[in-house]
């Protein structure tokens, strides 16, 4: 692991432990962004709703990396809401927006802004929840199906291509919800640490099941995805 990777904020997001109830959201998201970052050399990257910019190390080869959020923080370069980004039209090659859309007042306006600031031929990489417990930051308004999320993008920009993929399968989605409640129960009983091996077993078992049964990874009726990854290429 590089020095940057080891010391930059958000290591537990980039390298989550199997005992983390969010492992099946975080591990696939980090792997996806690591792959995307491999082609970012020299590019301009905007991280919208950046928080602590946990995925900056994946894009360390970029020419420029700008973090924007409504809340100021140690790695925030610009302050502004996703619905009115303080940056010029057509100005970034890659626009990241990880785990933000569920928190915004107006997701359609947010997607129009992501489209506006992306260069033609550039791409938006967005992730958001299919199912998840309520987690305000500062608000928590929305959840999507893969078709609903595609529609929000489709209706709010001229895109060359839109791809929506589940981060993990249906077994992982179910396991995540069970793990969250197990963790909460253990926390209430002041034995949070006791839940860890069970959470790790749930994560590992669900990942094995999803890998073994292809239909569990398919967006078919009955599917339950905890997280969705969107790649939208601007026309
Ligand atoms: C769950 S955190 C995700 C942070 C980071 N993108 C990540 O993946 O770790 C949600 C972030 O969205 C920001 N946020 C919430 N509403 C926003 C808005 N309307 N415009 C811009 N950022 C917003 C919050 O301040 C917070 O940093």
């Amino acid at each position: 692991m590089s020095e940057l990777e080891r010391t930059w904020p958000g290591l537990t997001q980039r390298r989550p432990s199997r005992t983390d109830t969010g492992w099946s959201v975080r591990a696939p998201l980090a792997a996806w962004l690591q792959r995307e970052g491999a082609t970012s050399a020299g590019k301009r990257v905007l991280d919208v709703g950046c928080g602590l910019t946990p995925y900056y190390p994946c894009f360390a080869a970029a020419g420029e990396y700008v973090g924007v959020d409504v809340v100021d923080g140690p790695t925030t370069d610009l302050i502004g809401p996703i619905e009115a980004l303080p940056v010029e039209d057509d100005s970034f090659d890659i626009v990241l927006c990880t785990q933000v859309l569920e928190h915004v007042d107006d997701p359609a306006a947010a997607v129009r802004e992501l489209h506006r600031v992306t260069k033609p031929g550039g791409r938006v990489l967005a992730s958001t929840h299919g199912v998840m417990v309520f987690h305000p930051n500062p608000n928590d308004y929305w959840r999507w199906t893969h078709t609903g999320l595609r529609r929000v993008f489709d209706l709010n920009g001229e895109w060359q291509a839109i791809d929506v993929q589940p981060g993990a399968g249906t077994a992982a989605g179910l396991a995540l919800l069970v793990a969250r409640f197990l963790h909460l129960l253990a926390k209430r009983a002041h034995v949070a640490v006791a839940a860890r091996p069970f959470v790790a077993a749930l994560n590992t078992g669900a990942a094995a099941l999803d890998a073994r049964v292809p239909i569990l990874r398919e967006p078919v009726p009955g599917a339950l995805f905890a997280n969705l990854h969107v790649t939208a290429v601007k026309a």
Side-chain angles (χ1 to χ4, degrees):
M1 198 188 308
S2 72
E3 176 72 4
L4 175 71
E5 163 77 4
R6 199 174 52 75
T7 55
W8 194 260
L11 181 60
T12 56
Q13 278 174 257
R14 294 187 298 279
R15 305 253 180 152
S17 158
R18 291 243 178 185
T19 62
D20 178 344
T21 59
W23 178 79
S24 64
V25 166
R26 290 177 165 171
L29 178 58
W32 177 49
L33 296 177
Q34 193 67 53
R35 288 194 300 276
E36 291 288 340
T39 60
S40 66
K43 302 211 163 132
R44 292 194 83 205
V45 178
L46 181 68
D47 186 347
V48 180
C50 62
L52 291 173
T53 58
Y55 303 108
Y56 166 68
C58 304
F59 295 87
E64 191 183 0
Y65 192 101
V66 178
V68 56
D69 203 296
V70 271
V71 176
D72 199 2
T75 57
T76 309
D77 302 297
L78 300 171
I79 309 286
I82 190 171
E83 296 90 344
L85 291 169
V87 303
E88 290 181 6
D89 295 359
D90 302 331
S91 50
F92 287 87
D93 302 284
I94 299 174
V95 177
L96 283 185
C97 183
T98 57
Q99 309 310 129
V100 177
L101 288 176
E102 66 269 28
H103 301 288
V104 310
D105 292 349
D106 184 346
V111 171
R112 283 196 292 278
E113 274 297 89
L114 296 177
H115 179 272
R116 179 184 69 76
V117 302
T118 305
K119 287 184 188 174
R123 61 193 190 277
V124 173
L125 305 175
S127 65
T128 186
H129 288 302
V131 290
M132 180 47 75
V133 297
F134 181 60
H135 59 290
N137 189 349
N139 300 304
D140 185 9
Y141 295 123
W142 315 104
R143 299 290 181 270
W144 280 274
T145 61
H146 58 283
T147 50
L149 190 54
R150 169 184 285 279
R151 189 164 169 77
V152 176
F153 275 77
D154 227 351
L155 294 177
N156 291 287
E158 290 275 312
W159 308 100
Q160 231 175 74
I162 303 169
D163 182 51
V164 182
Q165 294 292 331
T170 289
L174 282 166
L176 179 142
L177 296 177
V178 174
R180 269 286 147 103
F181 285 101
L182 193 65
H183 170 75
L184 270 181
L185 274 178
K187 211 167 132 189
R188 292 242 165 104
H190 305 289
V191 288
V193 72
R196 285 193 196 155
F198 296 101
V199 171
L202 276 166
N203 281 332
T204 302
L209 195 58
D210 281 332
R212 189 168 283 222
V213 183
I215 199 159
L216 291 173
R217 307 191 301 274
E218 300 289 329
V220 293
L224 183 88
F225 299 132
N227 217 37
L228 298 160
H229 300 172
V230 183
T231 306
V233 182
K234 183 166 172 175

